[in-house]
Each structure stands twice: as structure tokens, then as C-alpha cells.
Amino acid sequence: MGNKKILLRKIILRLIIVMFIIIAFIVIVIAVINIYMKSVTSSKILSECKDMDADCILVLGAGVAPSGKPTWMLEDRILTSEELYNVNASPKIIMSGDHGRVSYDEVNTMKDYAINDGIPSDDIFMDHAGFSTYDSMYRAKEIFGVKKIVIVSQKYHLTRALYIAKKL
């Protein structure tokens, strides 16, 4: 009976060590990928885009509150796109987000917000199938024909968005 307990403890200890090694490996892989993506895209993150002559400003969706108003994060992105539009970074804006259900509509929420702030409706295009960053990037290139783009997101997300755009 005593040998079985010792054997069971050794097995459990080995399993714990193996699990720790696997978790550590996963964390290291994620960190390396993150560092690589940041190093590849850091030069593309600009603090000023005045007169950039881009084909469009792409605003990535970031949620609509149950009240129908943009979340603070989405509102920040919309306001940033308006600033970029007003300094001639591009003459057009693509609002890209989730509109997969009748009851949830990021895209029209973004457009209405920008129109209320004075952006002409004719300069705003809507991508109703921007369910993910990849979808938005792919559709900007393949559906809307964008070659030169200004992507609007928060800094933590911008690295991934730029990396995806570069790979497309």
C-alpha cells in the first residue's frame, strides 16, 4: 500500500512538472510571436497622418452598448477617424464591424455618429461583414480595392491589424 502511494505521488509530481513545462512553452511562444509582430510593424504606427493621401481610413469595430451607443473604445476610434479625415489623411472612411444580426449593428452606429459630427455621408462606406480584424483587412483590400490605408484602432490592437494587413 505504501509503495502505491509513493508511486502515485511520483506520477502526480511528473504530471505537474510536464504541465508546467507545457504552459511555460506556450507563454514563451506567445511572447516571441508578439515581439516579432511588434518589431515588424512598429515603424508603421504613426502619430500624425496629415495629408497622407491614403485610399481610405479604416475604422475597426469595437462594440455597441445595449443602448445602441458606441462603447468608449469604439467612440475613440470614430473620433480618431474624424480627426484623420479632417486633416486630409484620406477623403473616404470605411466603417467596418459586426452587423451579423438585426439587433446588433456596429456599422450604422459608427456611420450615424460620424455624420452627426459633420462627416458627409457620401464619404463614409460601410463594411457590414467586418466580424474580425482579418475579415476587415481582407475586405478592405479585396472588396473595396484599397491599396493605401490608415487603420484606426487602439495601440494594443494596432500591431496585429497592421501585421495582418501587411501579410495580405
Side-chain angles (χ1 to χ4, degrees), residues 2-158:
N3 286 342
K4 285 185 181 181
K5 280 187 176 182
I6 293 172
L7 182 61
L8 185 59
R9 283 185 186 159
K10 284 183 179 181
I11 290 171
I12 291 173
L13 182 60
R14 285 184 182 158
L15 284 174
I16 290 171
I17 291 170
V18 168
M19 286 176 39
F20 177 77
I21 290 170
I22 290 170
I23 291 169
F25 177 75
I26 291 170
V27 168
I28 290 169
V29 167
I30 291 170
V32 168
I33 289 170
N34 192 37
I35 290 167
Y36 172 74
M37 284 193 339
K38 282 184 177 187
S39 70
V40 169
T41 61
S42 63
S43 66
K44 301 290 183 191
I45 297 176
L46 307 174
S47 58
E48 188 175 307
C49 297
K50 186 177 180 184
D51 299 320
M52 190 168 192
D53 195 34
D55 296 330
C56 77
I57 299 162
L58 176 65
V59 184
L60 300 172
V64 175
S67 66
K69 295 186 187 264
T71 61
W72 67 268
M73 191 178 292
L74 183 56
E75 182 179 37
D76 181 57
R77 293 178 186 188
I78 298 166
L79 292 172
T80 299
S81 73
E82 293 172 5
E83 290 173 20
L84 290 165
Y85 177 87
N86 289 326
V87 297
N88 300 316
S90 175
K92 301 294 179 190
I93 300 172
I94 297 176
M95 302 295 191
S96 183
D98 184 352
H99 188 191
R101 309 182 300 277
V102 174
S103 62
Y104 187 81
D105 185 357
E106 288 180 338
V107 189
N108 280 297
T109 299
M110 290 189 280
K111 183 175 183 176
D112 292 345
Y113 192 103
I115 289 170
N116 286 337
D117 283 351
I119 305 297
S121 178
D122 290 346
D123 290 344
I124 302 171
F125 295 89
M126 297 188 296
D127 174 13
H128 294 272
F131 302 112
S132 69
T133 303
Y134 177 84
D135 290 337
S136 296
M137 295 301 138
Y138 178 84
R139 292 174 56 76
K141 180 181 180 188
E142 299 299 329
I143 306 299
F144 292 95
V146 174
K147 303 240 184 299
K148 187 175 180 182
I149 191 169
V150 177
I151 302 167
V152 178
S153 187
Q154 276 69 30
K155 191 170 182 177
Y156 79 91
H157 179 244
L158 202 50

